[in-house]
Amino acid sequence: MSRSISDAWRWLERTARLAIGVPDYDTYVAHVRSHHPGVAPMSREEFFVERMQARYGKGRSRCC
């Protein structure tokens, strides 16, 4: 029972993050390891910085 609650929580957390535009680091790492075996994945911090820059630009706002 505890495992199913834990799995449900992870699914809910992942879904909520995607809904608000926060990328999932664990999914990224799994993708890099399975599709690019010779490449080391970015650190968690590098990943989020790169994703936020890709989404919002480098030092500029998309608004106005």
Side-chain angles (χ1 to χ4, degrees), residues 5-17:
I5 292 172
S6 178
D7 289 344
W9 179 256
R10 276 195 290 277
W11 178 85
L12 183 60
E13 182 180 37
R14 187 170 46 246
T15 301
R17 287 176 186 259

Side-chain angles (χ1 to χ4, degrees), residues 29-49:
V29 171
H31 169 82
V32 170
R33 288 184 177 154
S34 67
H35 291 84
H36 311 282
V39 176
M42 291 182 271
S43 71
R44 188 175 292 270
E45 182 177 334
E46 291 169 329
F47 173 75
F48 281 108
V49 168

